[in-house]
Amino acid sequence: MTLKKRRRQEAILLSLKKLDYLTREQIQILHDLKSDRNAQRVLQEMRDYIDSFNQSQGKRVYYLNKKGRACVDSDKIRVKITTVEHYLMRNDLYIMLGKPKEWRNEIRIRSGEGKQEIVVVADAHYEKDNRHYIIEIDHTQKMNKNRTKVRKYRDLIQRGVFGQHMPKIMWVTISEYRRRLLLDLCEGLDVDVFLPSEIKP
């Protein structure tokens, strides 16, 4: 195997470590694999390190297997799941936003102790130019849970957890109706709400 090919494979494995599940199309964009045929060939050559399954919309979804995890020192075990759309929507937003360098998934944001403690887990988070960006994926989430999260973000903002700048909260949701509900919930906050069709690479 050439050095170039080895580096490309390692880069793809690292993307799967960071983003958990990726479609062929997402891998193609992230790693500039050009044609569909070339992308399929590259992924076929990596079959010792990655497993895959078909999701509900018929797209092939890839994730690290045991050997792949060992290659990139990942202790997060992923398997075939029915809720993969949540991950793929988050990945589409990651790509649309230009692959933010500081992007981290499932980030716990905390303030205070004991009865005063507030804890919220953002679906993703990154910082840019001293500003916090919070990502929330509303795929099958109950609106009550979204309401609780928004309330916690308001409390964290009041406590100054995000510094001098109001954080930008970005949601991806599945319908125009839910978008309107989320915009109402987040009134007064700096928020964007996207539909999947608006963030497709």
Side-chain angles (χ1 to χ4, degrees):
M1 185 188 299
T2 65
L3 181 60
K4 182 180 178 183
K5 187 179 282 190
R6 188 180 296 114
R7 282 180 175 163
R8 181 176 62 196
Q9 288 193 358
E10 184 177 313
I12 292 171
L13 294 176
L14 286 169
S15 285
L16 286 166
K17 177 182 179 179
K18 181 185 181 83
L19 301 171
D20 301 305
Y21 298 92
L22 288 164
T23 64
R24 191 206 72 220
E25 290 84 355
Q26 289 173 339
I27 293 170
Q28 214 167 326
I29 292 164
L30 288 168
H31 297 281
D32 195 25
L33 298 184
K34 311 295 184 193
S35 69
D36 292 353
R37 186 174 178 181
N38 183 54
Q40 286 167 343
R41 180 185 57 77
V42 168
L43 292 168
Q44 177 65 16
E45 288 173 351
M46 295 178 65
R47 64 189 178 277
D48 288 346
Y49 305 97
I50 56 179
D51 287 338
S52 65
F53 60 92
N54 282 326
Q55 51 113 248
S56 58
Q57 296 176 6
K59 290 189 176 180
R60 200 110 195 114
V61 177
Y62 296 85
Y63 60 97
L64 295 175
N65 62 22
K66 186 176 180 181
K67 196 170 177 182
R69 292 196 305 273
C71 273
V72 289
D73 194 27
S74 173
D75 55 6
K76 200 166 18 173
I77 297 172
R78 292 299 181 196
V79 295
K80 179 181 178 180
I81 55 171
T82 56
T83 55
V84 73
E85 196 60 37
H86 173 97
Y87 296 85
L88 302 182
M89 287 163 65
R90 183 170 63 190
N91 294 342
D92 281 343
L93 186 61
Y94 169 74
I95 292 168
M96 189 197 85
L97 293 170
K99 304 182 285 183
K101 203 172 185 181
E102 303 299 322
W103 182 282
R104 299 288 181 273
N105 289 338
E106 309 298 333
I107 289 298
R108 188 179 297 270
I109 304 168
R110 171 178 301 183
S111 171
E113 293 180 5
K115 289 184 178 179
Q116 301 301 313
E117 185 181 44
I118 299 170
V119 180
V120 62
V121 179
D123 285 325
H125 170 272
Y126 68 97
E127 286 184 61
K128 185 179 178 183
D129 300 327
N130 295 317
R131 191 176 188 199
H132 292 262
Y133 292 81
I134 296 163
I135 312 303
E136 291 293 345
I137 307 301
D138 173 50
H139 182 233
T140 55
Q141 186 80 287
K142 289 195 167 108
M143 202 50 72
N144 276 342
K145 288 197 172 180
N146 291 334
R147 190 172 287 109
T148 299
K149 262 195 168 179
V150 171
R151 191 186 71 244
K152 287 182 177 182
Y153 284 132
R154 289 185 190 278
D155 291 342
L156 290 168
I157 290 166
Q158 283 188 337
R159 290 187 181 189
V161 168
F162 301 104
Q164 295 180 332
H165 303 287
M166 171 83 78
K168 164 77 86 173
I169 303 175
M170 288 180 274
W171 293 84
V172 184
T173 191
I174 55 173
S175 70
E176 194 62 59
Y177 172 69
R178 291 183 75 86
R179 168 152 55 190
R180 287 197 301 273
L181 290 177
L182 289 167
L183 286 169
D184 287 344
L185 271 183
C186 296
E187 188 177 356
L189 300 177
D190 188 355
V191 63
D192 289 330
V193 185
F194 301 100
L195 297 178
S197 59
E198 295 167 343
I199 61 169
K200 282 293 178 195

